[in-house]
Amino acid sequence: MAEVWPAVNTWSDALEREYEGFVAALGRAVAARRCRRLDQCLADPSINTLFDAPTDRRLNLSVDCADLPYVLRAYFAFKRRLPMGFVSALRGVGDDPRYMTRMRPTAWRDWTQYRTPRALFRGMTDAVHSGMYRFAPEVEASDFYPVAMRRDALRPGAVYYDPNGHVLAVTEVRDDGTVFLIDGHPDGSLTFKRFGEAFAIGTRRLGGGFKRFRGTAWDGRALARTPNAALPLFDGVSQWSEGVWQGASGEADAGPRARVSYHAWVRETLAAAGTVRDPVRDLGESLEAFCRDLSDRADAVTLALDAGLAQQPHPHTLPWNIYGTSGDWETWSTPSRDARLKAALRELTALITESLREAPPGRREALTEVYLATTRSPACTVTYRGSDGQPVSLTFDTLVDRLWGLSFDPYHCAELRWGAPPGSPERQRCGDGPEKLRWYLAEQPLRNQIDRFYGVATPLDMGPREPPDIDPRRALGLATR
């Protein structure tokens, strides 16, 4: 390590800008589906701005959401001979370190404690988890700090922590304030996301929201983290203050209907001066993002089927919490992914409703046109491999109709994973016996639930008996099933 990674440089504004460019380039590649895993992205010299063949051709990196920001930062630090460290252990109140409260770091490691960079990457991915992002702003021994909501502050390489247990890396902040991100998954895949209500902010003490890596300095013996008072972009209040959010509307109290949500405040605050929001463009991009998420789900379901989970007997019980667990369920199930799909559809429908309120002439027609053009494109059709090996294609409308029937359970057949209706020829391909079908029916209340809950039990009867009505077609006045 002393030979290949001497800390001869220090973090500077110029190196931070270079890091932003490195992450932004990866984000563009993931968005274009030029690579699906981090090691694939890094092994491509047209994507990786730091590529060198001796190092990167042989990389084997499988990262989940919590690993991704750390590994990106460590990889860049390695290539630019910068110091790198991370929190390696913590304590708090609760049993699962990913969802504890009152978190405090208890151990730290730096790059000099590993024999090689590869050993560091392996050790880091083994040690870090989403709990490493769950510190309150005043915990200055952590690796991150909450960032001010400004265009010069929220840049590629920043992270978003959803206290429900998900982490994403920012790759772009557009002039209209839209934030784009990438995230990792337990199966090693990377996906591209548009920031919205699918991602929760949580409370200040849980450390949710946008963050940046703290500055670090190496004195030859130990790594020092920059305290909050020395961080010009630190803001430990605004992201959790509804009073601050409402200030974005320009009215002290515009009434409940006009109140600004956290996600709307983020976008309005980050928008460049003079930028005019285009609701028709917003709808088209939101639909494209939703279709991209559907395609990503198809990849995840295929991986679970290829891993043979559907051929195994169903366990006697579900995990205590279906969203935050470990083992095969964490790797191959999709309850969190499916819940985010439903939250995104809810936001999409709300976008249409809000765009039509006091709308100018022609707005409904323009929204309908972009809705139909986008949802009828090939990118919004999902094709999966049925239990008989034959392909099955599902249109956007079919997927919206089936949304509440999509099974998150990796032990179910492909047809149940995609909500095939009872009695249909498609459903008849499924070979699941009575026991698995009982589980599918029993899990319906959990499928009817949009919001995720971590750190608590998720029994079969936790969700509502009937799903909510969030159909965007109804908001546009289009025919539905």
Side-chain angles (χ1 to χ4, degrees):
M1 186 68 88
E3 293 178 3
V4 300
W5 192 344
V8 295
N9 296 315
T10 58
W11 286 97
S12 64
D13 289 344
L15 283 167
E16 289 287 0
R17 298 292 85 78
E18 186 181 359
Y19 179 63
E20 292 169 7
F22 163 68
V23 176
L26 293 179
R28 290 191 293 270
V30 175
R33 295 184 177 273
R34 293 173 57 199
C35 54
R36 299 288 184 95
R37 291 171 50 92
L38 181 58
D39 46 13
Q40 292 174 352
C41 297
L42 296 178
D44 188 334
S46 69
I47 297 171
N48 181 4
T49 58
L50 305 173
F51 176 84
D52 71 85
T55 301
D56 299 317
R57 290 292 189 200
R58 296 177 291 113
L59 271 182
N60 182 14
L61 291 172
S62 182
V63 298
D64 63 16
C65 69
D67 301 330
L68 179 61
Y70 277 104
V71 172
L72 290 176
R73 189 77 167 180
Y75 177 87
F76 184 87
F78 162 53
K79 290 302 183 82
R80 288 295 176 256
R81 307 302 186 256
L82 294 160
M84 179 67 196
F86 61 97
V87 172
S88 58
L90 45 79
R91 62 178 170 83
V93 177
D95 296 325
D96 190 327
R98 295 171 297 177
Y99 306 110
M100 293 192 297
T101 58
R102 304 177 190 173
M103 305 273 271
R104 289 289 186 275
T106 58
W108 301 259
R109 292 183 69 85
D110 65 63
W111 85 108
T112 66
Q113 296 170 277
Y114 293 89
R115 190 175 65 85
T116 66
R118 293 176 192 274
L120 167 68
F121 297 144
R122 287 194 298 268
M124 180 178 284
T125 56
D126 287 343
V128 303
H129 51 75
S130 60
M132 271 60 179
Y133 301 80
R134 201 178 179 83
F135 297 106
E138 56 269 17
V139 180
E140 297 180 308
S142 64
D143 294 323
F144 303 91
Y145 68 92
V147 68
M149 204 52 53
R150 305 190 327 237
R151 289 188 60 81
D152 65 329
L154 189 66
R155 307 283 299 168
V159 303
Y160 187 83
Y161 173 56
D162 176 341
N164 289 326
H166 199 56
V167 184
L168 306 94
V170 175
T171 62
E172 181 186 2
V173 180
R174 208 168 54 191
D175 284 349
D176 66 357
T178 304
V179 181
F180 296 97
L181 317 95
I182 56 175
D183 55 354
H185 300 276
D187 59 17
S189 63
L190 300 181
T191 53
F192 184 74
K193 295 289 188 291
R194 186 179 194 267
F195 182 66
E197 293 182 14
F199 307 105
I201 173 62
T203 62
R204 184 180 185 277
R205 68 186 180 91
L206 296 181
F210 288 101
K211 304 167 178 282
R212 286 178 65 125
F213 277 95
R214 290 184 180 274
T216 54
W218 177 251
D219 64 4
R221 297 179 304 276
L223 199 66
R225 287 166 172 76
T226 307
N228 294 340
L231 293 166
L233 304 180
F234 172 83
D235 181 347
V237 175
S238 298
Q239 291 195 69
W240 307 278
S241 172
E242 289 199 33
V244 173
W245 310 345
Q246 302 320 312
S249 70
E251 301 179 44
D253 185 3
R257 193 176 72 179
R259 291 185 70 80
V260 177
S261 70
Y262 169 74
H263 303 84
W265 169 74
V266 167
R267 181 170 180 181
E268 291 180 25
T269 304
L270 293 175
T275 303
V276 178
R277 178 186 165 197
D278 181 350
V280 177
R281 180 189 186 188
D282 282 352
L283 177 59
E285 289 187 345
S286 297
L287 286 165
E288 289 171 356
F290 188 83
C291 293
R292 194 162 49 238
D293 290 344
L294 285 170
S295 179
D296 291 337
R297 183 188 191 272
D299 291 341
V301 170
T302 297
L303 287 172
L305 293 169
D306 289 346
L309 272 290
Q311 308 305 317
Q312 299 179 19
H314 199 284
H316 297 302
T317 61
L318 296 185
W320 180 73
N321 183 287
I322 62 170
Y323 305 105
T325 183
S326 59
D328 283 344
W329 187 273
E330 179 189 30
T331 303
W332 306 117
S333 70
T334 58
S336 294
R337 189 188 292 267
D338 293 355
R340 286 193 291 269
L341 270 175
K342 294 160 188 170
L345 192 70
R346 178 177 60 187
E347 183 180 16
L348 199 153
T349 301
L351 168 63
I352 294 172
T353 302
E354 182 61 31
S355 298
L356 291 175
R357 186 175 289 125
E358 301 177 359
R363 171 71 59 76
R364 180 180 293 275
E365 292 76 11
L367 291 172
T368 301
E369 181 179 357
V370 75
Y371 180 92
L372 293 175
T374 306
T375 60
R376 291 174 178 174
S377 70
C380 287
T381 295
V382 166
T383 300
Y384 76 90
R385 185 178 69 249
S387 297
D388 60 358
Q390 297 303 307
V392 180
S393 294
L394 305 174
T395 66
F396 183 90
D397 281 345
T398 298
L399 289 162
V400 171
D401 289 336
R402 294 185 180 188
L403 189 61
W404 309 102
L406 304 185
S407 174
F408 53 72
D409 191 326
Y411 296 94
H412 284 146
C413 66
E415 288 73 22
L416 293 183
R417 296 302 305 272
W418 290 104
S424 65
E426 180 187 352
R427 177 75 164 264
Q428 291 172 6
R429 304 179 185 188
C430 175
D432 286 356
E435 178 67 13
K436 289 192 175 184
L437 293 176
R438 278 195 293 271
W439 275 108
Y440 178 75
L441 294 174
E443 291 165 357
Q444 186 62 57
L446 290 172
R447 291 196 295 273
N448 291 342
Q449 183 167 269
I450 297 179
D451 298 312
R452 295 160 286 154
F453 299 93
Y454 292 76
V456 298
T458 53
L460 290 169
D461 60 356
M462 184 177 190
R465 294 178 63 86
E466 297 294 332
D469 182 4
I470 55 170
D471 194 323
R473 297 168 296 186
R474 195 164 290 114
L476 283 171
L478 297 173
T480 60
R481 186 183 66 172

